[in-house]
């Protein structure tokens, strides 16, 4: 019998009357709960946890916050730094730390630890701040390391010898003459009651002196004024904490535009210097001296290559290669970077201290007249400047009491055992501070008192390990003698040709931090009644 075959088939599970048993497995519940928001929140919390873990791991046993504000850290307080907060950090221990954005920062406060950082080129190198590479350019010599840095530096040492510094003095004094006359004119036209804010004037003066020293007469006065005005933007861009990328219309963006302008102007000056020195021009600035050494080295090498007999005495003391206009520009820009804010800070404090202590001003004035045999019109010379013992003491005490550079950031190239109990992680930033060593009561009794006599009757001169104003080690400041003599000449000359007053308040010597440190000039410091007073 033939069987009957039903050709249709339907799964029992498809029957509408059959109940569906839900899948209650853990995996299915997790998968069903996933959405875009939950994924974002989970990833965010994982990143926060990782950020905290890395901070705690890097912090180790040193002083610092027990936890970090996720990602940003103390960014806002770092944007508006206060000296009291820095002092609290210095007092907290030889090492302390913070973490801002992606950067873990260790502050070395004690003298010995700071000196160890300065003298450890195998582990660290100066880095300024992240944005500096973009403003100064990554190929700049200050970012060179090891042998490359040493060799480059050798070619610059000759620009700051005693003989070289003597060549720059006439140009510097001309600028001082011009600006002191300008100070008098501005004061005469200004408010006789409230006075004239003088810090911007002093800042422009120091920029003009630096530019005359570095590039001589190759730069027009209008360009000098523009650079002095726009350098504020470069300073703001190079603050210790800033956004690491350049965003239009931010501090770093304006700073980059100003830096590009300065580099372009310095390149033009380099081309003019090469043309002038090639025909035997006289050296009047650092750029001339450097270009002349390039020409002399090139001539010597050409004779050697041609087999021409050369007396050993004709060989330049230091062989340097021929640098391009832009390479020269980059290097001179670092000189301006090192000098502008630092000398502006020091000279502002000098003017204020002199006004608030007329007895000290009179002593400076008397010494400057005495070394000139009573004739205030005698021009600068190295012998004259070096004979001004008291004026030097005043300048050195100002640099100690209010050091223009309180931090020198370094990047850690490899794990750095900075103390027996702590190793700074690779890639971190370590910042030796100069302030604590310069305010050490064991080296400088009553360190918070401004006392020039400590350099004459005391033993301040012997405290060489604490004298970190210009750093130490392989990256110490090339221009330390130039900077000191420049400040001595400036305040000494001012004391003979001008008198000035200061509207002092209880807050006059409070510190405002802006890349370097200034008195509260915006609110409390003014020239009053500057006059061309003949001293007899």
């Amino acid at each position: 019998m033939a069987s009957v075959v039903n050709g249709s088939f339907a799964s029992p599970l498809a029957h509408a009357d059959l109940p569906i048993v839900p899948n209650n497995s853990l995996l299915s519940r997790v998968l069903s709960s996933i959405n875009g928001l939950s994924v974002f929140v989970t990833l965010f919390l994982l990143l926060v946890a990782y950020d905290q873990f890395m901070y705690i791991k890097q912090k180790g046993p040193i002083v610092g916050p027990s936890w970090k504000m996720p990602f940003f850290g103390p960014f806002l307080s770092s944007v508006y730094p206060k000296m009291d907060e820095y002092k609290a950090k210095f007092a907290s221990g030889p090492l302390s730390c913070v973490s801002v954005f992606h950067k873990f920062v260790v502050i070395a406060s004690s003298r010995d630890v700071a000196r160890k950082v300065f003298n450890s080129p195998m582990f660290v190198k100066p880095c300024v701040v992240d944005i500096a590479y973009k403003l100064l350019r990554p190929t700049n010599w200050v970012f060179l390391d090891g042998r490359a840095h040493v060799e480059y530096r050798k070619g610059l040492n000759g620009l700051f010898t005693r003989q070289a510094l003597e060549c720059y003095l006439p140009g510097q004094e001309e600028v001082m003459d011009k600006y002191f006359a300008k100070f008098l004119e501005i004061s005469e036209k200004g408010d006789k009651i409230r006075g004239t804010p003088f810090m911007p004037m002093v800042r422009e003066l120091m920029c003009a002196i630096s530019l005359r020293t570095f590039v001589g007469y190759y730069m027009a006065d209008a360009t000098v004024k523009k650079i002095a005005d726009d350098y504020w933007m470069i300073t703001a861009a190079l603050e210790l904490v800033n956004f690491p990328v350049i965003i239009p219309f931010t501090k770093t963006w304006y700073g980059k535009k100003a830096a590009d302008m300065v580099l372009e102007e310095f390149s033009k000056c380099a081309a003019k210097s090469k043309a002038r020195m090639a025909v035997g021009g006289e050296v009047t600035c650092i750029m001339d001296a450097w270009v002349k050494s390039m020409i002399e080295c090139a001539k010597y090498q050409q004779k050697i290559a041609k087999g021409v007999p050369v007396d050993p005495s004709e060989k330049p003391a230091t062989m340097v290669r021929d640098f391009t206009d832009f390479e020269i520009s980059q290097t001179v820009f670092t000189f301006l970077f090192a000098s502008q804010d630092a000398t502006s800070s020091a000279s502002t404090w000098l003017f204020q201290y002199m006004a608030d202590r007329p007895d000290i001003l009179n002593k400076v004035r008397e010494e400057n007249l005495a070394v000139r045999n009573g004739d205030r019109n005698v021009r600068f010379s190295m012998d004259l400047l070096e004979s001004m013992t008291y004026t030097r003491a005043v300048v050195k005490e100002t640099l100690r009491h209010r050091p223009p550079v309180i931090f020198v950031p370094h990047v850690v190239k490899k794990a750095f055992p900075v103390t027996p109990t702590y190793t700074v992680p690779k890639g971190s930033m370590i910042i030796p501070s100069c302030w604590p060593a310069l305010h050490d009561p064991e080296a400088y009794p009553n360190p918070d008192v401004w006392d020039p006599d400590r350099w004459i009757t005391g033993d301040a001169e012997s405290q060489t390990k604490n004298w970190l104003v210009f750093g130490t080690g392989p990256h110490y400041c090339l221009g330390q003698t130039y900077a000191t003599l420049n400040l001595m000449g400036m305040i000494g000359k001012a004391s003979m040709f001008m008198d000035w007053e200061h509207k002092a308040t209880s807050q006059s010597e409070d510190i405002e931090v802006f890349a370097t440190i200034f008195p509260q000039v915006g609110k409390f410091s003014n020239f009053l009644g500057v006059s061309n007073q003949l001293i007899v």
Side-chain angles (χ1 to χ4, degrees), residues 299-324:
K299 289 180 178 178
Y300 174 80
Q301 290 172 329
Q302 288 169 6
K303 288 181 180 179
I304 296 296
K306 293 178 180 178
V308 176
V310 180
D311 189 279
S313 63
E314 294 184 35
K315 183 179 180 180
T318 302
M319 297 299 298
V320 297
R321 65 176 175 84
D322 185 30
F323 290 88
T324 67

Side-chain angles (χ1 to χ4, degrees), residues 370-438:
V371 298
R372 294 171 170 85
N373 294 319
D375 182 0
R376 66 177 185 169
N377 294 307
V378 171
R379 309 302 282 178
F380 288 159
S381 70
M382 289 297 289
D383 287 339
L384 185 144
L385 293 174
E386 290 170 349
S387 68
M388 297 181 342
T389 306
Y390 192 76
T391 307
R392 176 184 290 275
V394 166
V395 168
K396 292 198 72 171
E397 178 64 357
T398 302
L399 294 174
R400 182 206 66 80
H401 191 241
R402 291 292 184 263
V405 179
I406 56 175
F407 290 125
V408 185
H410 287 66
V411 66
V412 180
K413 299 187 292 184
K414 61 181 180 180
F416 179 23
V418 68
T419 69
T421 59
Y422 184 72
T423 297
V424 187
K426 177 183 177 180
S428 303
M429 183 182 288
I430 185 166
I431 306 178
S433 176
C434 307
W435 180 279
L438 294 165

Side-chain angles (χ1 to χ4, degrees), residues 238-308:
L238 291 170
E239 287 179 311
L240 187 59
V241 175
N242 229 324
F243 283 105
V245 294
I246 295 177
I247 301 172
F249 309 110
T250 61
K251 290 180 182 179
T252 52
W253 186 77
Y254 286 113
K256 178 67 164 57
K257 288 174 69 68
D260 290 346
M261 180 271 293
V262 173
L263 285 168
E264 181 180 357
E265 293 298 333
F266 283 165
S267 293
K268 295 175 183 177
C269 293
K272 295 174 184 176
S273 178
K274 285 182 176 180
R276 181 169 167 272
M277 299 312 293
V279 295
E282 180 184 357
V283 171
T284 61
C285 62
I286 283 177
M287 189 175 282
D288 282 348
W290 197 18
V291 169
K292 183 179 180 181
S293 69
M294 296 177 204
I295 293 172
E296 290 174 347
C297 288
K299 289 180 178 178
Y300 174 80
Q301 290 172 329
Q302 288 169 6
K303 288 181 180 179
I304 296 296
K306 293 178 180 178
V308 176

Side-chain angles (χ1 to χ4, degrees), residues 433-486:
S433 176
C434 307
W435 180 279
L438 294 165
H439 289 77
D440 180 356
E442 293 185 9
Y444 308 106
N446 300 316
D448 293 329
V449 175
W450 185 80
D451 178 18
D453 285 334
R454 75 173 76 242
W455 297 93
I456 297 173
T457 59
D459 65 348
E461 286 287 0
S462 66
Q463 305 298 331
T464 54
K465 286 190 174 182
N466 286 70
W467 184 248
L468 296 180
V469 171
F470 298 102
T472 186
H475 289 272
Y476 77 90
C477 178
L478 274 173
Q480 57 183 306
T481 301
Y482 155 71
T484 303
L485 293 176
N486 185 17

Side-chain angles (χ1 to χ4, degrees), residues 65-204:
S66 57
W67 68 284
K68 172 189 175 183
M69 180 182 293
F71 311 121
F72 292 96
F75 171 68
L76 292 179
S77 62
S78 300
V79 171
Y80 303 103
K82 295 180 175 59
M83 194 64 201
D84 287 344
E85 294 176 358
Y86 282 152
K87 289 180 181 179
K89 278 284 185 187
F90 302 153
S92 66
L95 292 174
S96 58
C97 69
V98 294
S99 181
V100 181
F101 293 130
H102 64 296
K103 187 67 68 176
F104 181 71
V105 181
V106 176
I107 300 172
S109 299
S110 74
R111 179 200 70 182
D112 292 340
V113 176
R115 289 183 65 87
K116 183 172 182 178
V117 176
F118 282 125
N119 287 283
S120 298
M122 290 293 294
F123 293 97
V124 300
K125 70 174 182 176
C127 66
V128 196
V129 291
D130 289 343
I131 202 67
Y133 292 95
K134 297 180 176 66
L135 269 63
L136 301 177
R137 300 297 192 273
T139 55
N140 201 302
W141 79 281
V142 294
F143 302 127
L144 296 177
D145 199 18
R147 185 174 180 81
H149 175 265
V150 172
E151 291 301 318
Y152 201 110
R153 191 183 182 96
K154 282 182 181 178
L156 301 177
N157 286 334
L159 307 179
F160 295 93
T161 62
R162 188 179 188 279
Q163 181 180 1
L165 294 177
E166 185 107 49
C167 296
Y168 316 144
L169 293 178
Q172 293 168 11
E173 194 164 15
E174 284 181 20
V175 173
M176 293 177 197
D177 289 338
K178 174 184 174 182
Y179 273 84
F180 290 162
K182 186 176 179 180
F183 286 7
L184 296 170
E185 181 181 352
I186 291 173
S187 181
E188 182 64 29
K189 296 177 180 178
D191 190 325
K192 298 297 189 295
I193 305 300
R194 292 181 296 177
T196 304
F198 72 91
M199 193 270 279
M201 298 157 55
V202 171
R203 186 179 172 89
E204 184 180 331

